[in-house]
């Protein structure tokens, strides 16, 4: 099979689902190690439970033939239903104050904070599950959007706040682009699932501010801000490889934002040329700064504000976002250069990231493309790789679920 071809992508999706099914635990879905077993060193985290629920619901919608060892259609439906029920009734949900805790262990709360990042994935999981017809998904979507409305959406700023304590009484002054980015993805998914136009309008407001900040910095996106949304360019200079808040410009986020801008630009009543142009600029900058920036194939994780590499490790999620972004850019522009890039990204993935024995994708490599765990140990979930293996089938969709529902139907 040719890397990136239709049969190749279907095989990757089936293998990812087979690997991911081992994540089921009573509280939701656990963090997987390199062999596909739940890693006892990690708690059950909200974002992982949501991302796995989303992937299992997508797998159900896609209806691909199962890999040897499953899961089949019935098992996928049951896994997605388990995720929804865990989010509604399990210990991750705060029955006293509402919302969801960041992590639990053995049924008890381990990380009580209420994070915008993880709550965005609750909306995404609920939206995809609703589209897939999973029982109680409507209930979960309504509950998750209510929390967005009451706790995270800042109408004055047109952005989302970052993190609350368990009782919603103390708000962290930090603001971040990572959580804002996944909130845009979630709001688009909710809109595509029928939640109403205000969610897409809010996604547009967030995107507009990000475009402004990026344009001021040669299309490198500032990641970290204070409570007034003033950029903090030196934040975590002492912790450059932080998994969620790294120092400098994050190459993969330039790619991911590019895809989201293209989606926003092309899903309205008419194409928004300014947003589309911004998406192209972000992708071009990310590729120019990140690809083989130290002489070896692969995308570096981060750069400084002049485009020089800071963290040289190659994260699998950055490559998957390159695949997704080049796919949608080729679809919308028709430019051959994006098809050339796409072939290059898939060839790299096949050579370095996709395990030959079907054990998911390696999540991190060092600067010489050898397995590494400086930032990410194990292979926590299948979210990024599954979407990369699906995007060519739904390039113009407002959400992966909406696109697959149309294609599969």
């Amino acid at each position: 099979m040719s890397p990136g071809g239709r049969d190749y992508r279907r095989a990757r999706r089936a293998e990812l689902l087979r690997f991911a099914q081992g994540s089921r635990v009573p509280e939701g879905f656990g963090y997987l190690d390199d062999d596909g077993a739940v890693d006892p060193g990690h708690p059950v985290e909200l974002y992982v439970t949501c991302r796995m629920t989303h992937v299992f619901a997508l797998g159900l919608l896609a209806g691909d033939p199962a890999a040897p060892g499953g899961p089949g259609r019935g098992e996928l439906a049951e896994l997605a239903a388990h995720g929804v029920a865990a989010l509604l009734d399990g210990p991750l949900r705060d029955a006293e104050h509402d919302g969801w805790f960041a992590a639990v262990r053995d049924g008890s709360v381990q990380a009580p904070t209420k994070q915008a990042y993880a709550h965005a994935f609750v909306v995404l999981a609920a939206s995809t599950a609703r589209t897939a017809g999973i029982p109680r998904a409507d209930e979960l979507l309504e509950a998750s959007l209510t929390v967005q409305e009451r706790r995270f959406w800042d109408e004055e700023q047109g952005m989302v706040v970052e993190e609350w304590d368990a009782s919603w009484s103390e708000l962290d002054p930090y603001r971040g682009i990572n959580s804002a980015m996944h909130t845009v993805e979630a709001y688009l998914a909710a809109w595509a699932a029928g939640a109403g136009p205000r969610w897409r309008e809010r996604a547009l407001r967030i995107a507009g501010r990000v475009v402004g900040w990026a344009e001021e910095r040669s299309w490198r996106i500032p990641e970290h801000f204070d409570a007034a949304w003033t950029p903090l360019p030196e934040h975590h200079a002492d912790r450059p490889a932080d998994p969620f808040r790294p120092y400098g410009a994050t190459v993969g986020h330039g790619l991911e934002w590019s895809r989201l801008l293209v989606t926003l630009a092309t899903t309205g009543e008419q194409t928004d040329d300014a947003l589309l142009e911004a998406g192209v600029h972000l992708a071009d900058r990310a590729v120019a700064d990140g690809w083989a920036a130290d002489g070896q194939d692969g995308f570096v994780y981060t750069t400084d504000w002049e485009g020089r590499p800071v963290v040289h490790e190659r994260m699998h999620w950055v490559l998957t976002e390159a695949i997704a972004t080049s796919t949608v850019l080729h679809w919308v522009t028709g430019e051959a250069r994006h098809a050339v890039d796409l072939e290059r990204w898939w060839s790299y993935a096949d050579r370095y990231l996709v395990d030959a024995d079907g054990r998911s994708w390696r999540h991190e490599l060092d600067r010489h493309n050898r397995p590494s765990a400086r930032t990410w140990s194990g292979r926590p979930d299948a979210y990024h790789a599954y979407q990369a293996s699906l995007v060519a089938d739904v390039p113009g969709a407002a959400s992966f679920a909406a696109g697959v529902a149309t294609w599969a139907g």
Side-chain angles (χ1 to χ4, degrees), residues 6 53 65 68 90 108 152 185 198 220 230 264 266 297 342 353 356 361 384 387 409:
R6 180 176 180 271
T53 302
S108 299
F152 289 107
E185 175 187 38
R198 75 179 180 275
R220 299 182 183 100
T230 302
L264 283 165
T266 56
D297 279 356
L342 185 59
L353 295 173
W361 293 33
H384 282 288
Q387 291 189 163

Side-chain angles (χ1 to χ4, degrees), residues 157 249 271 289 291 387 391 405:
Q157 290 285 350
T271 300
D289 282 357
W291 179 256
Q387 291 189 163
V391 66

Side-chain angles (χ1 to χ4, degrees), residues 62-80:
D64 293 321
R73 184 172 182 81
E75 295 164 299
L76 287 169
E78 204 281 327
L79 285 163

Side-chain angles (χ1 to χ4, degrees), residues 121-141:
F121 283 111
V122 182
V123 175
L124 180 66
S127 301
T128 305
R130 180 181 187 179
T131 304
I134 303 302
R136 303 182 70 195
D138 284 349
E139 181 184 348
L140 181 60
L141 183 57

Side-chain angles (χ1 to χ4, degrees), residues 212-226:
W213 286 315
E215 188 172 11
E216 292 170 357
R217 292 163 177 80
S218 302
W219 300 103
R220 299 182 183 100
I221 303 171
E223 293 279 330
H224 314 295
F225 298 78
D226 65 15

